[in-house]
Amino acid sequence: MRRDNLTWGSEFVLLGLSSDGQTQAGLFILFGATYLLTLLGNGLIILLIGLDTRLHLPMYFFLCNLSVVDICSISSGVPQMLVHFFLEKKTISFTRCAAQLFFSLALGGTEFLLLAAMAYDRYVAVCDPLRYMSMMGPRHCAGLAAVSWLVGLANSAVETAVIMRLPTCGHRVLNHVACETLALIRLACVDITINQVVIVASSVVVLLVPCCLVSLSYAHIVAAILRIRSVGGRRKAFGTCASHLTVVSMSYGMALMTYMQPHSTASAEQNKVVVVFYAVVTPMLNPLIYSLRNKEIKAAVSRVLMKSSESKF
């Protein structure tokens, strides 16, 4: 099946991050270690939440979903990147490219929506604590998580279909490490105004709207914290939100900088570095941020280790 000199079975050539052998060897070690740390960190969080009944709370339910997203997200592109460091010609088939784009967009959108759900959870916990258990019951949490996944998948299906149908007129070289939205659009040999409108609309649904909801939630949270008279109370209330706020600032900030400006004057190289950092480093940092700043996670690690050591004797 042919589409303007691009068939479903044809291949794209990826330029990657560097063509220098020594640089690629160093990047392989760096990204390989990052990938392993991401799997280990997020896997540990999922395991802890599953084993420790004290963590069977709404916030950790969403955190578990976020860890699943991070594992799937980094696994959709990094293994291929690691293999390509040893290949002179880095290629990817049209079908694999479409699948990679779909999963990266779906998981990215789901993550933004889950972060918004977590912000709502923190809002209820701080601003309406007496109704917390009724407002954030198992059904409500499952519903919020399900909506996050379904909207992320639906949005990705639409955006992927619109982008992958663009004719490239034989252009096959992608200046990127993976099949990414802006890199694919740069290959188009037709007017892409409609595609840019779709990208902006998609960004509004899964990025801008959740970002506004997070901002609104934290505006109420800050107002509620300022009404607390004791310094210790304020510190405790803010401490319950600090980890989530750190992850939100990092994730939304980089995504807004990249995808809400399709006419950006930023070069393809700059965009590539930002996207790679967001796709590779952020999933690794999320579990570190939550584990280092969360006393309950640290306590859960201690309890699991104690049970493990007791079972040996």
Side-chain angles (χ1 to χ4, degrees):
M1 182 177 180
R2 182 168 295 276
R3 289 195 175 197
D4 295 276
N5 297 328
L6 178 63
T7 64
W8 289 100
S10 64
E11 294 180 329
F12 290 108
V13 178
L14 301 169
L15 292 183
L17 290 173
S18 173
S19 58
D20 179 70
Q22 290 185 341
T23 302
Q24 291 191 86
L27 290 173
F28 174 83
I29 295 173
L30 176 63
F31 289 134
T34 301
Y35 182 53
L36 292 176
L37 286 173
T38 301
L39 296 182
L40 180 62
N42 285 286
L44 180 60
I45 284 181
I46 294 171
L47 183 64
L48 286 173
I49 294 173
L51 293 177
D52 196 326
T53 55
R54 299 186 190 184
L55 297 182
H56 292 179
L57 300 170
M59 182 175 71
Y60 297 108
F61 169 76
F62 291 121
L63 179 57
C64 186
N65 275 266
L66 189 62
S67 291
V68 171
V69 168
D70 284 338
I71 289 175
C72 295
S73 178
I74 198 169
S75 296
S76 68
V78 171
Q80 171 196 277
M81 192 191 312
L82 295 176
V83 172
H84 280 178
F85 284 134
F86 295 101
L87 301 178
E88 184 176 348
K89 188 176 182 181
K90 306 167 177 57
T91 61
I92 183 172
S93 69
F94 182 86
T95 304
R96 283 182 58 201
C97 182
Q100 189 176 76
L101 179 66
F102 171 78
F103 284 113
S104 65
L105 290 173
L107 293 165
T110 301
E111 180 171 4
F112 297 137
L113 292 163
L114 283 172
L115 289 172
M118 293 173 78
Y120 176 70
D121 170 73
R122 293 299 84 202
Y123 159 74
V124 177
V126 175
C127 300
D128 199 358
L130 296 179
R131 293 200 299 162
Y132 180 74
M133 295 311 298
S134 61
M135 294 179 67
M136 297 303 296
R139 288 187 179 181
H140 291 89
C141 292
L144 288 172
V147 168
S148 299
W149 282 96
L150 290 174
V151 172
L153 290 168
N155 175 77
S156 177
V158 172
E159 192 170 345
T160 301
V162 170
I163 292 172
M164 297 308 294
R165 68 181 293 274
L166 281 172
T168 65
C169 300
H171 302 151
R172 301 188 305 119
V173 180
L174 277 172
N175 186 14
H176 217 281
V177 298
C179 289
E180 187 266 342
T181 301
L182 300 182
L184 284 165
I185 281 183
R186 290 190 182 98
L187 296 185
C189 58
V190 295
D191 180 66
I192 59 172
T193 303
I194 295 178
N195 300 84
Q196 289 176 329
V197 171
V198 170
I199 291 173
V200 172
S202 173
S203 299
V204 168
V205 171
V206 299
L207 182 56
L208 193 58
V209 170
C211 185
C212 291
L213 292 175
V214 170
S215 300
L216 184 62
S217 295
Y218 273 102
H220 286 287
I221 289 172
V222 170
I225 290 176
L226 291 177
R227 288 196 295 267
I228 299 175
R229 295 182 179 181
S230 68
V231 176
R234 290 181 184 180
R235 188 175 300 170
K236 182 179 179 181
F238 182 75
T240 63
C241 308
S243 298
H244 177 256
L245 189 57
T246 303
V247 173
V248 162
S249 301
M250 184 172 57
S251 298
Y252 282 106
M254 297 192 70
L256 286 169
M257 182 174 62
T258 303
Y259 293 109
M260 287 303 291
Q261 297 181 352
H263 293 287
S264 175
T265 56
S267 69
E269 292 296 326
Q270 290 174 323
N271 173 255
K272 179 166 59 175
V273 171
V274 172
V275 171
V276 168
F277 181 88
Y278 171 74
V280 177
V281 179
T282 302
M284 180 192 69
L285 293 179
N286 285 352
L288 289 176
I289 292 170
Y290 276 104
S291 60
L292 292 176
R293 298 183 62 91
N294 192 300
K295 294 181 180 179
E296 292 180 347
I297 291 288
K298 293 179 182 178
V301 173
S302 300
R303 287 193 293 270
V304 169
L305 291 176
M306 286 179 63
K307 288 182 180 178
S308 178
S309 60
E310 290 174 356
S311 64
K312 294 180 181 179
F313 297 99

